[in-house]
């Protein structure tokens, strides 16, 4: 298991669940949230320069606005839905970032050159053919064919090679 993959999945799932819970808490009323935040900012400014009666009245209005915007009972009943949404997002993140780990690794560039050359030659070629017909140097051709022989991707037939 990859630690980064697990951490990213956990963070994405929890974030999605928290956002869904927050949206349920305010019933999707983003305008009401901003009105509450503006009123809260006004209350902070009023505490510095206003009288006690004005501050008390502003607090009462802020509390009433908070009750109007938020609905904790609805949010509490929708917690399973928020968790399900978070689990769905976590699953999608797990799959999308894990797909690269699940697929076979790509072949080396030089190996792909050898495969293309071999397919053009009908599956059989010699080392001299590879040196002449590909951009690989002598050393690169010997190294890549030896590696492909070790991996079982090529079969040696005398002086020639054949795709396995």
């Amino acid at each position: 298991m990859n630690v980064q993959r697990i951490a990213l999945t956990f963070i994405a799932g929890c974030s999605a669940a928290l956002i869904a819970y927050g949206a349920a808490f305010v019933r999707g009323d983003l305008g009401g949230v901003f009105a509450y935040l503006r009123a809260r900012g006004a209350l902070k400014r009023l505490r510095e320069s206003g009288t006690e009666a004005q501050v008390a009245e502003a607090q009462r209005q802020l509390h009433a606005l908070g009750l109007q915007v938020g609905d904790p009972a609805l949010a509490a009943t929708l917690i399973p839905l928020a968790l399900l949404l978070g689990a769905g997002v976590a699953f999608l993140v797990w799959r999308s970032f894990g797909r690269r780990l699940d697929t076979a690794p790509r072949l080396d560039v030089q190996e792909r050159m050898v495969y293309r050359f071999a397919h053009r030659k009908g599956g059989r070629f010699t080392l001299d053919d590879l040196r002449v017909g590909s951009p690989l140097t002598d050393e690169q051709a010997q190294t890549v064919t030896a590696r492909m022989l070790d991996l079982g991707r090529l079969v040696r037939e005398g002086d020639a090679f054949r795709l396995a």
Side-chain angles (χ1 to χ4, degrees):
M1 292 272 164
N2 190 350
V3 175
Q4 292 91 1
R5 183 179 177 194
I6 292 171
L8 181 64
T9 301
F10 180 75
I11 290 169
C14 288
S15 299
L18 188 59
I19 290 169
Y21 177 78
F25 189 85
V26 297
R27 294 180 303 254
D29 183 15
L30 193 58
V33 172
F34 282 117
Y36 179 82
L37 292 175
R38 279 191 301 273
R40 197 174 97 187
L43 175 63
K44 284 184 180 181
R45 287 188 299 277
L46 190 61
R47 281 188 180 141
E48 296 171 1
S49 63
T51 64
E52 300 244 350
Q54 290 173 332
V55 170
E57 178 62 24
Q59 281 180 333
R60 188 190 60 73
Q61 288 176 355
L62 181 66
H63 182 69
L65 185 59
L67 292 176
Q68 181 183 0
V69 171
D71 189 359
L74 176 66
T77 59
L78 293 178
I79 285 176
L81 180 64
L83 292 175
L84 183 64
L85 182 67
V89 168
F91 175 74
L92 290 175
V93 168
W94 179 266
R95 292 279 298 155
S96 65
F97 287 98
R99 185 165 295 160
R100 184 170 183 134
L101 298 173
D102 295 338
T103 58
R106 292 187 68 192
L107 298 175
D108 183 73
V109 173
Q110 294 174 350
E111 289 181 24
R112 287 185 288 177
M113 286 181 187
V114 172
Y115 271 119
R116 286 186 195 128
F117 181 78
H119 284 293
R120 282 195 312 257
K121 290 287 194 172
R124 292 179 50 100
F125 63 96
T126 64
L127 202 52
D128 291 332
D129 293 337
L130 185 61
R131 287 183 198 131
V132 172
S134 74
L136 297 174
T137 65
D138 294 340
E139 295 173 17
Q140 290 174 331
Q142 289 174 354
T143 305
V144 73
T145 53
R147 185 173 59 235
M148 291 177 74
L149 282 170
D150 290 342
L151 293 173
R153 295 179 181 156
L154 288 179
V155 177
R156 187 171 203 119
E157 295 177 344
D159 286 344
F161 296 98
R162 177 179 53 85
L163 290 175

